[in-house]
Amino acid sequence: MVADALIYHPTVAHYLRYVATTMGRDKILRTLQYFSRFYAWYLFRTNAHTSAIAPFEAMKKQFGLSRKLMRVGKNVEHFKAAATAADRKTMDPVLKYCAVGRQLGYAAYLSLDMVTYFDAAGIYPTASAKRLQREAYRAWFTGLIFNTIAGIYTLYQLRQRSQAINMKEGEGVVESKEIEREREATNLQLVSDLCDLTVPSSALGYVNLDDGIVGLAGTVSSLIGVWDVWKKTA
């Protein structure tokens, strides 16, 4: 039967594994959140009626609030990852320091972001919420900068490795293909990080970007995240 063919299709099983992960659901909500931010800006710039803009403004706010709740407690994971990276004796020193800096930045961001949830949800408004959220953005920005440096350094290392390969040997051909896969993954992560940097840098006033650019950049990085989680759950 057609229904059985659809229900037992491998893609359906893959989809169920994807949505069973918190990260997978977060990336979908993040995509909708940032696309709503972009589209609300677009409608405003094209002089659309307020009633047409309101649903997307609501989606941006509500999906953002939902994601904030889903992130509660995730800071512990990054503190542990920072400690694990710091204990790795054989890791390249530059990548090690970048990994520790990235994880501590993310951990601080999530810790501060968690504190501001009750204010954002209207449960317990506090006067310090805006200041704490600003500090959270600063921590996120720091973590992203460390990850961007790590990405650029990794591309440099891959270039050095590729120049040292002897393509006349079979092992050289295999290693070349491995380097190319690593380069593609690093480039994709670098694009994601650069897109994400628009969010905290704009919120902190480091750059003057409108909601259209930030929303579009956030949508791109979110779709990269969706694809990454989709591959991991294959």
Side-chain angles (χ1 to χ4, degrees):
M1 294 177 64
V2 176
D4 287 339
L6 290 173
I7 291 171
Y8 294 105
H9 194 277
T11 303
V12 175
H14 188 179
Y15 165 77
L16 292 174
R17 289 195 300 272
Y18 178 89
V19 296
T21 65
T22 303
M23 184 64 72
R25 296 193 300 274
D26 175 74
K27 294 303 180 183
I28 292 175
L29 288 176
R30 192 178 194 271
T31 302
L32 295 172
Q33 176 192 354
Y34 280 99
F35 178 77
S36 298
R37 182 171 181 172
F38 162 74
Y39 199 59
W41 170 87
Y42 171 78
L43 291 174
F44 176 77
R45 290 296 298 268
T46 54
N47 298 317
H49 194 272
T50 307
S51 60
I53 301 173
F56 294 97
E57 288 286 354
M59 286 172 63
K60 177 183 72 174
K61 180 179 179 180
Q62 295 302 323
F63 288 154
L65 191 60
S66 297
R67 292 184 58 242
K68 188 185 282 284
L69 179 60
M70 289 170 65
R71 292 194 297 266
V72 170
K74 192 173 171 59
N75 56 331
V76 178
E77 174 187 333
H78 291 281
F79 278 124
K80 181 181 179 181
T84 301
D87 288 338
R88 294 181 66 178
K89 307 300 183 183
T90 58
M91 192 175 186
D92 182 284
V94 175
L95 293 178
K96 179 178 180 177
Y97 292 136
C98 284
V100 173
R102 178 182 73 248
Q103 296 298 347
L104 287 178
Y106 291 166
Y109 163 65
L110 291 169
S111 298
L112 292 165
D113 186 69
M114 178 174 62
V115 175
T116 64
Y117 171 75
F118 294 102
D119 178 86
I123 298 172
Y124 188 75
T126 59
S128 60
K130 288 185 178 180
R131 179 179 59 82
L132 290 173
Q133 189 62 63
R134 185 174 179 82
E135 293 302 321
Y137 278 129
R138 187 171 284 111
W140 184 20
F141 179 84
T142 302
L144 287 170
I145 288 295
F146 273 113
N147 211 34
T148 301
I149 294 171
I152 295 171
Y153 181 74
T154 299
L155 289 176
Y156 168 76
Q157 283 189 316
L158 291 174
R159 182 182 178 184
Q160 295 297 107
R161 283 174 57 192
S162 64
Q163 290 176 346
I165 291 176
N166 184 357
M167 296 298 291
K168 294 180 180 180
E169 298 179 358
E171 291 182 0
V173 175
V174 173
E175 187 177 359
S176 177
K177 291 181 179 179
E178 178 62 29
I179 288 174
E180 188 58 34
R181 282 194 294 269
E182 290 182 30
R183 183 181 288 114
E184 288 178 2
T186 302
N187 280 327
L188 196 61
Q189 183 59 51
L190 194 56
V191 169
S192 179
D193 290 335
L194 292 174
C195 286
D196 280 343
L197 273 170
T198 63
V199 184
S201 60
S202 177
L204 292 167
Y206 295 161
V207 293
N208 185 20
L209 301 175
D210 56 39
D211 272 6
I213 295 175
V214 175
L216 197 58
T219 302
V220 171
S221 66
S222 299
L223 288 173
I224 291 173
V226 169
W227 174 243
D228 185 53
V229 179
W230 181 261
K231 289 191 299 181
K232 289 178 179 178
T233 54

